[in-house]
Amino acid sequence: MTDAAAALGLIVRDFISADEAVVRDLLIAAFPSDMEARLVHTLRHCGALVLEQVVLDTDGRIVGHIAYSRVTPAGVGPGQAMQIACLAPVSVWPDKQKSGIGSVLIRASLDRLKQLGEDLVLVLGPPAYFPRFGFDAGLARKVQGPYAGAAFMALALTEAGSRDLPIEVAFATPFEEFE
């Protein structure tokens, strides 16, 4: 547990199947449509998730969720061996947002991805939010895929994650609904 998690009385743990209904409700509440809930459901059930975690409050209730799916290097070259994940989505109940829960969850999950041997993490999200965790739009410009612009950011977790670029990638098939 991180110091921030302990200070807030939060516990981050891996998703278990019993969490599915609560996580679906959380995703629907946190976003303007059910697209993210459908995306996570599809990614989970097609085996594309690399990591899925929830955060529990002091009463043991799920107050946040995060998912990372596999991104596949396309083509040849040194980046072909990289392990790449995409953060999508991170969610917190609307009445609990802006309280540090999302930050705790992102930091804890990034630490876990390092332990799992991931080299690079990609995200498509608010440019004012994700750089605080080390995500960089400049690094993401070395990653060719369906997304681009200031909202597309990357974070190298290993030396290979920045050294073995540029690279072309393909996202898990369920992301096609967002394109």
Side-chain angles (χ1 to χ4, degrees):
M1 182 178 347
T2 66
D3 291 341
L8 293 171
L10 301 172
I11 297 172
V12 178
R13 68 159 169 79
D14 288 347
F15 171 91
I16 57 173
S17 60
D19 299 334
E20 192 162 355
V22 173
V23 166
R24 182 193 64 242
D25 292 346
L26 167 59
L27 287 162
I28 290 170
F31 292 97
S33 77
D34 69 346
M35 283 183 69
E36 284 80 3
R38 289 193 330 258
L39 174 66
V40 169
H41 176 82
T42 305
L43 289 168
R44 183 185 303 129
H45 292 283
C46 77
L49 291 182
V50 173
L51 179 65
E52 185 174 14
Q53 293 188 307
V54 295
V55 61
L56 309 175
D57 67 9
T58 54
D59 295 322
R61 291 183 303 239
I62 293 174
V63 292
H65 170 266
I66 197 164
Y68 293 86
S69 60
R70 175 61 58 220
V71 176
T72 307
V76 296
Q80 186 63 35
M82 272 201 293
Q83 295 295 307
I84 307 170
C86 173
L87 187 172
V90 59
S91 57
V92 174
W93 288 104
D95 65 332
K96 304 275 187 197
Q97 291 174 1
K98 299 186 189 309
S99 65
I101 294 169
S103 293
V104 164
L105 190 51
I106 291 169
R107 290 185 200 290
S109 62
L110 290 172
D111 287 345
R112 182 70 186 282
L113 286 173
K114 286 180 193 175
Q115 294 169 358
L116 294 173
E118 294 297 311
D119 295 300
L120 186 67
V121 180
L122 306 174
V123 68
L124 189 67
Y129 183 73
F130 284 99
R132 74 184 73 179
F133 306 104
F135 285 93
D136 177 33
L139 184 62
R141 283 192 285 276
K142 297 178 181 179
V143 179
Q144 298 173 349
Y147 308 108
F152 184 54
M153 294 166 272
L155 171 64
L157 298 179
T158 65
E159 185 181 322
S162 57
R163 178 193 65 216
D164 295 343
L165 300 175
I167 191 168
E168 184 179 345
V169 299
F171 285 75
T173 304
F175 279 96
E176 291 174 2
E177 184 176 345
F178 286 86
E179 293 174 14

